[in-house]
Amino acid sequence: MNIAVRPLSTIRPFTPPVGDPGFGVYVHWPFCAAKCPYCDFNSHVRHQPVDQARYVAAFRRELASQAQRSSGQTVTSIFLGGGTPSLMEPATVAAILEAIASLWTVADGAEITLEANPSSVEAERFRGYRAAGVNRVSLGVQALNDPDLKRLGRLHDTTQALGAIRLAREIFPRLSFDLIYARPGQDVAAWEREIVQAIELAADHLSLYQLTIEEGTPFYALHRAGKLIVPDGELSADLYETTQQITRAHGLPAYEISNHAAPGAESRHNLTYWRYGLYAGVGPGAHGRLLGPDGARHAIANEKHPETWLKMVEDWDAGFVEDTPLEPHEQADELMLMGLRLVEGIDLKRWRALAGRDIDPEAEADLTGHGMIERLGPDRLRATPAGMLVLDAVVADLA
Ligand SMILES: C[S@@+](CC[C@H](N)C(=O)[O-])C[C@H]1O[C@@H](n2cnc3c(N)ncnc32)[C@H](O)[C@@H]1O
Ligand code: SF4
């Protein structure tokens, strides 16, 4: 393939300058070995082997359709997410990356991330992904103790998680891993110890997510029945504050609500979403934002059910169930919702041009007075850490 695999030492993470959203390609692998009881992502368990060659053929066809709609774009990042993409054979990953490189120009040193579960990690596969062009792995560690991993329904234990981190650090130039906090029974002291341990293990990026009780999941039913007690609002806020303080003190400050990085090592792909750039999304349930023939930004969403998506792409070259032009004011809302997640905030000039108006001065004064938002200059607005905790409400007041 023509994405060069460069020697590790020559790949330097960098953050594109504020204002440069880049262009990303997201590929969704919708299968997992087991469904975690808290998860509402588009992930499915299949008891028969998945025909990966058939999926590759479908990914190729859908990528080709989307490339037609984004010709002239240079791909700055590729993200293989899921589900559990580390259930893909390296040859599957190589074929997907080759297809992308044959359809778009891929920037030199583009960030190419694969999500991996510690239980599905084998050294050989990791080396195969690296040889295919993957230069960043995002590992779903979730917790660093066995009882909590069990309670979260994970298939791996701490030893496997540590082994996967070690192996990933050896093989890939960049590594991030995910932890979920605000777990049942977790207090601030226990979480503090765990973050410090995580920072010692981490490379240059960590994703630290507060446990969300998602409707329709087994955790939701247990929670409603009073059988799963999670930290209340006050304890959750303390856990969040602790997370911010410790990561900042150790050189991995938040650059987004749940994402922490050494300066320059932010996830370029996720920055594309949060800076409201354009991106193609392929695979079951993937979302995209591409320009339509009318020149407007379109919201594209794919069929979620894997086999239905597969059949749609085989029949029509595309598996979308939604392809809607967004009105400028809808784009302004999206830009604000995404951009206020970032510590760098949003460009108000861009927002005003879409919204066709200025921010309501009363709403701004009120939120500023309550310490929820602040100006970083005449044309840059951001949410404070307190505002990020209640971001939906802040955006609802402003948008
Ligand atoms: C879509 S998952 C894919 C990663 C991979 N399949 C795994 O679980 O190891 C991405 C991340 O979302 C987070 N996540 C999923 N459901 C969550 C929930 N209900 N609350 C908080 N974080 C969640 C987990 O940290 C997970 O690693
Ligand atoms: S492994 Fe990841 S994507 Fe799959 S069910 Fe668990 S959290 Fe969701």
Side-chain angles (χ1 to χ4, degrees):
M1 64 171 300
N2 52 8
I3 296 173
V5 177
R6 303 197 299 166
L8 303 193
S9 58
T10 66
I11 297 183
R12 292 267 174 271
F14 75 101
T15 312
V18 173
D20 172 8
F23 176 77
V25 178
Y26 176 78
V27 180
H28 191 80
W29 185 255
F31 302 111
C32 290
K35 184 85 190 173
C36 303
Y38 53 84
C39 176
D40 82 336
F41 281 83
N42 189 35
S43 60
H44 305 259
V45 177
R46 294 288 176 263
H47 297 292
Q48 300 298 323
V50 170
D51 183 347
Q52 297 199 11
R54 197 171 158 199
Y55 275 86
V56 166
F59 283 133
R60 265 200 207 105
R61 291 171 77 157
E62 196 171 52
L63 284 163
S65 312
Q66 300 218 6
Q68 275 185 359
R69 287 182 64 164
S70 50
S71 58
Q73 293 281 359
T74 296
V75 175
T76 45
S77 65
I78 300 169
F79 196 100
L80 300 147
T84 304
S86 53
L87 292 175
M88 279 190 271
E89 295 299 332
T92 303
V93 171
I96 294 169
L97 296 182
E98 269 162 29
I100 294 170
S102 71
L103 291 162
W104 285 274
T105 302
V106 177
D108 187 29
E111 175 185 279
I112 304 178
T113 305
L114 176 127
E115 275 183 343
N117 285 30
S119 50
S120 63
V121 161
E122 294 160 35
E124 274 323 297
R125 274 223 203 128
F126 262 19
R127 293 206 171 85
Y129 298 144
R130 179 73 191 111
V134 172
N135 54 27
R136 182 173 181 273
V137 157
S138 172
L139 267 180
V141 170
Q142 320 307 359
L144 289 168
N145 71 74
D146 287 346
D148 279 5
L149 284 172
K150 216 173 209 144
R151 243 175 266 146
L152 289 172
R154 299 297 294 191
L155 296 178
H156 65 274
D157 59 18
T158 315
T159 310
Q160 279 172 307
L162 299 181
I165 292 171
R166 203 171 310 118
L167 190 65
R169 289 196 65 155
E170 231 173 81
I171 295 176
F172 296 95
R174 296 177 65 191
L175 163 73
S176 177
F177 63 84
D178 300 350
L179 292 179
I180 295 180
Y181 69 101
R183 305 190 290 255
Q186 194 174 38
D187 60 23
V188 172
W191 175 231
E192 264 176 22
R193 285 193 298 276
E194 200 167 327
I195 312 180
V196 170
Q197 194 191 346
I199 291 169
E200 279 165 9
L201 295 165
D204 54 11
H205 192 287
L206 278 179
S207 300
L208 305 171
Y209 299 110
Q210 283 219 2
L211 176 65
T212 313
I213 303 297
E214 304 284 1
E215 209 172 329
T217 61
F219 266 25
Y220 185 80
L222 285 171
H223 186 244
R224 283 199 60 152
K227 293 182 182 153
L228 182 87
I229 315 288
V230 289
D232 60 17
E234 200 177 322
L235 178 53
S236 290
D238 288 349
L239 289 165
Y240 181 77
E241 186 48 39
T242 302
T243 309
Q244 306 311 307
Q245 278 171 12
I246 298 184
T247 51
R248 196 167 46 234
H250 287 81
L252 288 178
Y255 66 98
E256 189 264 351
I257 297 177
S258 310
N259 284 278
H260 302 258
E266 295 84 356
S267 158
R268 183 151 206 199
H269 188 81
N270 287 334
L271 277 179
T272 294
Y273 300 150
W274 297 319
R275 288 179 174 173
Y276 205 44
L278 293 173
Y279 52 95
V282 300
H287 286 242
R289 289 289 179 279
L290 293 176
L291 300 182
D294 47 2
R297 176 185 284 249
H298 281 227
I300 302 163
N302 277 356
E303 163 60 40
K304 285 181 155 182
H305 183 256
E307 290 76 14
T308 309
W309 170 84
L310 193 60
K311 188 82 180 55
M312 286 169 74
V313 178
E314 287 173 347
D315 290 347
W316 303 311
D317 287 340
F320 62 85
V321 287
E322 186 198 334
D323 185 354
T324 323
L326 293 168
E327 295 292 335
H329 72 89
E330 293 173 309
Q331 295 181 42
D333 288 351
E334 286 196 342
L335 181 150
M336 182 176 280
L337 195 59
M338 299 308 270
L340 286 185
R341 300 174 65 107
L342 287 171
V343 169
E344 72 184 31
I346 60 167
D347 175 1
L348 285 174
K349 286 200 292 296
R350 190 175 169 206
W351 185 85
R352 280 186 213 110
L354 288 168
R357 64 177 174 92
D358 211 340
I359 298 269
D360 174 18
E362 258 178 55
E364 184 181 351
D366 188 46
L367 288 166
T368 306
H370 285 92
M372 297 292 160
I373 55 171
E374 62 192 353
R375 290 263 180 159
L376 290 177
D379 290 319
R380 193 152 276 279
L381 180 80
R382 74 169 174 190
T384 61
M388 283 198 190
L389 270 175
V390 288
L391 195 59
D392 286 350
V394 169
V395 172
D397 278 2
L398 286 173

